[in-house]
Amino acid sequence: MRPEPAVEIERKFDVDDDVPLPALEDVPGVGGVDQPVEYRLKAEYFDTEDLRLASRRITLRRRTGGEDAGWHLKLPAGPDERHEYHEPLRKSSAVPKSLLKLIRVHVRDGALVPVARLDTRRTVHHLRGAEGQILADVMDDQVQAEVPGRTPSTQRWREWEIELVDGSRDLLDAAEAVVTAAGAHAAAHRSKLARILGDRVPDGAAEPPVPTPSGPAGDVLLAYLREQVTVLQQQDPQVRVDGHDAIHRMRVSIRRARSVLATYRTLLDDTEAVRLLREELKWLAGVLGKARDAQVMHERLQRMLADEPAELLLGPVGRRVDVELGGDYKKFRTQVLRALDGRRYFRLLDALDALVADPAMAPRAAEPAHRVIPALINRDMERLRRVVHDARTHPAGLGDHPALHEARKDGKRLRYAAEAAAPIGRKKVVRIAEAAQVMQKTLGEHQDSIVTRDLLRRLGAKAFQEGENGFSYGRLHALEQAAALDAEARFRREWEYFPTPLRKK
């Protein structure tokens, strides 16, 4: 089962030991305040030795005491907001697998060890609305924290927390005004863990430069790569829990990164490292591709079967499609999960992190983007034109010419190159990206037809061997062949209006 997060919206405040809690009944919108309840909370926080989670504002803890004892994983989700995943305490002290899946992309093959222990005396005040509902909780925490190690360190402090339950952000603002007027001030640290770890947490990467037309060409490449690495990291946990469309999104981010590394490879100094990185990205896209193709074919055939008249479906066609392709997806997804837990994948993630954090740029990367980037896009356009010429010299409808498949791949490469080049501010770059996307979609339909027809031949043969009627498989095959001819015809028409190369400025 996929764990579902709770949304935690709270604000923290530093406060001196001798400051009394204000009258919370004075908070606008509060109808009453319960008698305070005191808890003793003991929490142990886990991270890698180099604090990879903390550097990404992620906290993982095991806590006893209080109303929500158990394992808690908190992921940043915006100002004042985090997504919290909870698992109950068990006999085993190991991190629950359901939580580990959500952070494996950051932890990789690093060991999770205790990095801090907190002992908190918490006093909770429930703020209720006019109808008795709990609007927010105000917590008064006396904290004693320890960082284990060869030279353990301890700290003591007091803080207040205001956490929304059924209240609004307006209530949160109003409560903040009351507690700050009483002598509290916004916490200097975003969490208790950040406070106790202090400067042990690696500094976050400096804000990357925003690419501009006159800025370095290398900034254009790096901005696009960072975007794709971020998408990959976001989709990794979704793939692990079988999230909707996650395999597709992760695969697209990998393809985009691999493609722009080919188009803009002259901007990077270490061409051999780029080649090796592209090979590893190709491997991962291939692993994901098998599972994705099974999904696509299953959905495609289900739609075709739903459109067919019942009297033309002879035999258990739908059941055979579901069994075959459902089984394929399950098998290939198992391979995906095995790969995502492997050393090869973790080292690929390390290489991507290193590339976007501290790339070795070639001298050309320092030149203005508006001068360098168009030539690289034009090179991809010329590559595409050559393969399209080959495809168009082959008579339409006489088979599935390999040049059509190559044109689809080269069109996709041009699309991603143009998408990455958006910061140079050329309207024609946008038109090139849009035209390449249309061509990619059209030829993608043609390629899907080829794969589906091959599958239908295999399913029909297997059905015949088992004594079933093969008529429906042949009919679906013919429909797919007609769809391929239509896609090829559209591609030929669309190419007539494809944009010309970019002019130098």
Side-chain angles (χ1 to χ4, degrees):
M1 293 179 61
R2 284 186 285 167
E4 295 297 330
V7 178
E8 179 187 74
I9 303 176
E10 67 177 14
R11 293 179 190 169
K12 297 177 180 291
F13 304 88
D14 293 331
V15 62
D16 294 335
D17 287 339
D18 58 354
V19 174
L21 195 70
L24 300 174
E25 295 86 350
D26 295 340
V27 176
V30 173
V33 180
D34 289 1
Q35 287 295 316
V37 180
E38 185 173 305
Y39 299 100
R40 184 72 176 273
L41 311 176
K42 291 183 178 293
E44 190 169 39
Y45 288 78
F46 292 82
D47 205 335
T48 58
E49 290 187 355
D50 54 358
L51 302 177
R52 296 176 203 170
L53 298 182
S55 67
R56 293 170 171 83
R57 299 175 56 196
I58 298 172
T59 59
L60 173 65
R61 74 183 179 208
R62 183 181 185 275
R63 189 164 75 182
T64 59
E67 298 176 322
D68 62 346
W71 286 91
H72 303 87
L73 173 65
K74 298 186 180 185
L75 306 177
D80 305 328
E81 188 171 322
R82 292 191 288 182
H83 287 173
E84 181 174 354
Y85 296 83
H86 182 270
E87 287 290 342
L89 295 174
R90 297 184 175 89
K91 291 182 179 179
S92 172
S93 60
V95 178
K97 292 182 179 179
S98 61
L99 301 184
L100 191 55
K101 288 179 182 179
L102 302 176
I103 54 175
R104 178 62 80 185
V105 68
H106 305 300
V107 174
R108 298 166 197 177
D109 46 2
L112 287 169
V113 297
V115 295
R117 297 186 180 94
L118 272 65
D119 189 338
T120 303
R121 185 163 59 89
R122 165 169 289 181
T123 305
V124 180
H125 304 260
H126 296 311
L127 310 188
R128 295 190 179 271
E131 298 180 358
Q133 74 276 27
I134 298 178
L135 301 176
D137 288 335
V138 175
M139 281 81 79
D140 185 352
D141 290 348
Q142 298 281 352
V143 185
Q144 178 171 317
E146 175 188 16
V147 175
R150 294 181 179 178
T151 57
S153 61
T154 59
Q155 293 184 35
R156 296 175 61 92
W157 72 88
R158 184 187 182 200
E159 69 178 36
W160 291 343
E161 290 184 14
I162 306 172
E163 182 176 343
L164 287 183
V165 181
D166 288 327
S168 66
R169 287 187 177 271
D170 288 341
L171 177 79
L172 190 61
D173 293 338
E176 177 176 356
V178 169
V179 299
T180 53
H185 50 275
H189 302 85
R190 61 181 178 272
S191 68
K192 291 180 174 67
L193 181 63
R195 178 166 185 158
I196 183 61
L197 293 178
D199 58 8
R200 296 179 180 85
V201 180
D203 290 334
E207 194 68 24
V210 177
T212 62
S214 58
D219 290 351
V220 172
L221 169 61
L222 293 177
Y224 195 74
L225 284 175
R226 289 190 189 97
E227 181 181 341
Q228 304 319 312
V229 171
T230 298
V231 173
L232 188 159
Q233 292 177 347
Q234 291 171 342
Q235 294 305 315
D236 173 289
Q238 295 304 311
V239 169
R240 294 175 188 273
V241 299
D242 208 13
H244 174 69
D245 218 25
I247 287 178
H248 172 61
R249 292 174 183 173
M250 185 175 183
R251 186 188 183 199
V252 169
S253 72
I254 294 165
R255 284 180 161 180
R256 282 186 162 122
R258 183 172 183 269
S259 183
V260 297
L261 283 171
T263 299
Y264 298 115
R265 62 186 179 277
T266 57
L267 303 183
L268 295 167
D269 188 52
D270 193 340
T271 56
E272 178 63 13
V274 172
R275 185 189 67 80
L276 292 174
L277 181 55
R278 292 189 71 245
E279 283 297 314
E280 291 303 281
L281 289 169
K282 181 180 180 180
W283 159 74
L284 182 57
V287 174
L288 294 168
K290 293 179 181 179
R292 175 59 182 168
D293 289 346
Q295 282 182 321
V296 170
M297 291 302 102
H298 197 178
E299 293 168 2
R300 186 180 182 91
L301 286 175
Q302 283 179 324
R303 288 194 300 269
M304 293 182 70
L305 291 172
D307 291 339
E308 283 291 279
E311 63 271 18
L312 296 180
L313 295 178
L314 306 183
V317 183
R319 180 178 178 277
R320 180 171 293 280
V321 167
D322 290 343
V323 169
E324 292 287 334
L325 291 176
D328 283 350
Y329 175 70
K330 184 176 180 180
K331 176 180 67 176
F332 293 136
R333 182 172 179 272
T334 297
Q335 294 177 5
V336 168
L337 296 179
R338 188 178 300 118
L340 296 189
D341 280 334
R343 186 177 185 277
R344 185 175 183 179
Y345 173 60
F346 296 146
R347 298 296 76 80
L348 171 57
L349 293 176
D350 291 344
L352 289 171
D353 285 348
L355 176 61
V356 298
D358 187 23
M361 307 302 289
R364 193 181 187 190
E367 298 177 18
H370 68 88
R371 295 180 184 174
V372 173
I373 299 299
L376 300 179
I377 293 177
N378 286 343
R379 185 179 63 187
D380 278 359
M381 288 191 73
E382 179 58 31
R383 174 191 177 106
L384 174 61
R385 287 185 179 279
R386 287 196 299 268
V387 72
V388 168
H389 175 76
D390 188 17
R392 283 162 58 87
T393 57
H394 184 77
L398 294 184
D400 301 318
H401 197 271
L404 291 172
H405 182 49
E406 293 303 314
R408 180 182 68 87
K409 294 194 294 184
D410 287 346
K412 186 186 302 182
R413 172 168 164 168
L414 176 61
R415 172 193 169 186
Y416 295 154
E419 284 180 350
I424 70 173
R426 299 274 290 271
K427 291 182 179 179
K428 193 169 184 180
V429 169
V430 177
R431 291 200 299 273
I432 290 172
E434 292 172 346
Q437 182 178 10
V438 170
M439 190 184 77
Q440 174 195 340
K441 181 178 179 181
T442 300
L443 292 180
E445 293 173 11
H446 185 276
Q447 178 65 19
D448 286 346
S449 172
I450 294 174
V451 176
T452 305
R453 277 180 278 157
D454 181 65
L455 172 64
L456 287 168
R457 284 194 297 269
R458 290 190 286 109
L459 291 179
K462 189 171 184 179
F464 177 77
Q465 291 171 355
E466 297 183 11
E468 298 172 13
N469 194 317
F471 168 81
S472 298
Y473 300 100
R475 173 176 167 77
L476 294 173
H477 187 282
L479 291 173
E480 280 288 10
Q481 188 171 19
L485 293 174
D486 176 69
E488 184 177 352
R490 281 188 286 123
F491 156 68
R492 290 171 178 268
R493 292 194 301 269
E494 291 162 359
W495 181 254
E496 298 294 336
Y497 304 97
F498 203 86
T500 55
L502 293 165
R503 293 181 179 178
K504 294 182 179 180
K505 283 191 175 181

